[in-house]
Amino acid sequence: MKFLMMVYVDDALLQALPEGEFDTLMRGCLTHADELRAEGCVLDSQQLEPPATARSFRVRQQRTTVFDGPFAETKEYLAGFNLIEADDLDHAMRIARAFPWARIGAIEVRPVRDMDVVRRRVGA
């Protein structure tokens, strides 16, 4: 099964890390992700630019509104993700726990829906 491991960070906690700590954490994460990629557990991973670089939009009553930044102001923001392969949600959670980012935010693990099943269901 595929799972999306979304990494959220709190900028205040991120900025409060001692000098060099972010680099140490990131180096460890990259090494661990490379190991998991070699095992076939990590399929893809990306880090996102800060929320200030984002644009969001919504359509209501056929009118599109575009605004800078994320859709909602939150203390924690989506900083990156890993697409992982795991046996089940418990296995995916064990993989996610090996990453340190929950110390400065949260890690959400969510099953990825099989779009081929959706395509068949809707006849697309």
Side-chain angles (χ1 to χ4, degrees), residues 2-124:
K2 290 181 183 161
F3 294 86
L4 188 62
M5 186 180 106
M6 294 167 279
V7 178
Y8 294 87
V9 297
D10 179 330
D11 224 20
L13 295 176
L14 185 63
Q15 299 304 319
L17 288 173
E19 188 170 332
E21 181 70 9
F22 175 82
D23 291 353
T24 300
L25 291 172
M26 198 68 217
R27 207 171 16 260
C29 279
L30 292 169
T31 299
H32 185 59
D34 289 344
E35 292 165 353
L36 290 171
R37 188 182 308 274
E39 294 172 15
C41 289
V42 170
L43 306 176
D44 194 10
S45 57
Q46 296 294 322
Q47 190 174 24
L48 300 175
E49 293 294 338
T53 65
R55 284 202 127 173
S56 298
F57 73 95
R58 67 174 107 186
V59 177
R60 300 291 186 273
Q61 299 175 353
Q62 299 164 347
R63 183 171 168 249
T64 301
T65 304
V66 178
F67 45 97
D68 292 336
F71 179 72
E73 289 293 322
T74 61
K75 185 174 165 182
E76 294 175 346
Y77 61 87
L78 183 60
F81 68 89
N82 291 283
L83 180 61
I84 62 175
E85 183 78 34
D87 298 329
D88 54 31
L89 184 57
D90 290 334
H91 182 212
M93 290 296 291
R94 285 194 302 278
I95 291 169
R97 282 189 188 102
F99 292 88
W101 303 116
R103 284 181 32 203
I104 55 172
I107 297 176
E108 178 182 345
V109 177
R110 191 183 308 179
V112 173
R113 186 168 286 161
D114 185 337
M115 289 306 291
D116 289 334
V117 171
V118 175
R119 285 178 182 280
R120 285 192 299 273
R121 189 185 83 220
V122 302

